[in-house]
Amino acid sequence: AWVGERLAVGEGEAFLRRWIGAMAGRYRGRIEAWDVVNEICGPQDGRPDGLRRTPWLAALGPAYVDLAFRIQHAVAPDAAGVWNENDLELDADWIDQRRAMVLRWCRDARARRRPSARGRGRRDRPSRYRTKGSGCASSQSSWVTPTPS
């Protein structure tokens, strides 16, 4: 609710920049990977781009995804930007649309030469952030899946 209020008054991009800048800036050099976008896939919403209808999408349009990754990359270029998404590994017909949307977005981001997700998070990860030197790399490596170059 608090995000929606800020986006409703037209300060969406400024708020996104401040939020990512504050979080990624504060922990620059200590966090290896950030969940930059979370569960944005929503083919059930009927949008041609496959994005889920969210307050961010309503306020900034589909460019908010690229914008979020660009901001994170500018603030903490050594940290991997992660797109956390659920329901991609299952073998079910309704999952095919989700996988196709994710693959299309990754291909298009590379074609635009935009900073994009360097990893894809899985819902079953034990922790949202992986900290350098935390000793947790082996248990958390399963949730960071590098995207192919």
Side-chain angles (χ1 to χ4, degrees):
W2 63 276
V3 171
E5 293 169 7
R6 293 179 185 269
L7 298 177
V9 297
E11 61 174 86
E13 183 174 338
F15 177 65
L16 186 63
R17 288 182 183 283
R18 282 193 314 271
W19 183 260
I20 294 173
M23 294 296 102
R26 178 177 179 165
Y27 297 102
R28 181 184 299 119
R30 295 187 293 170
I31 300 290
E32 290 181 358
W34 286 101
D35 281 359
V36 177
V37 294
N38 184 57
E39 298 177 4
I40 63 172
C41 185
Q44 71 280 359
D45 287 354
R47 292 180 48 88
D49 58 15
L51 290 173
R52 182 170 61 95
R53 295 185 193 280
T54 66
W56 291 108
L57 181 63
L60 300 173
Y64 88 92
V65 177
D66 281 347
L67 177 63
F69 280 108
R70 283 196 313 270
I71 295 168
Q72 180 271 320
H73 183 74
V75 173
D78 293 337
V82 175
W83 172 351
N84 184 44
E85 192 60 62
N86 62 351
D87 296 332
L88 295 176
E89 290 84 12
L90 302 174
D91 185 17
D93 291 342
W94 66 274
I95 300 290
D96 291 342
Q97 287 180 300
R98 299 177 72 77
R99 265 193 299 271
M101 179 265 179
V102 170
L103 292 171
R104 183 175 56 250
W105 185 88
C106 291
R107 183 194 64 229
D108 293 348
R110 282 192 190 95
R112 293 188 306 274
R113 298 190 178 273
R114 299 274 189 221
S116 63
R118 293 193 330 210
R120 182 183 50 77
R122 290 175 32 183
R123 192 172 202 158
D124 61 346
R125 68 197 185 282
S127 174
R128 180 171 295 268
Y129 307 111
R130 184 169 64 172
T131 306
K132 289 183 181 177
S134 67
C136 298
S138 62
S139 65
Q140 294 181 342
S141 63
S142 64
W143 67 264
V144 176
T145 307
T147 53
S149 301

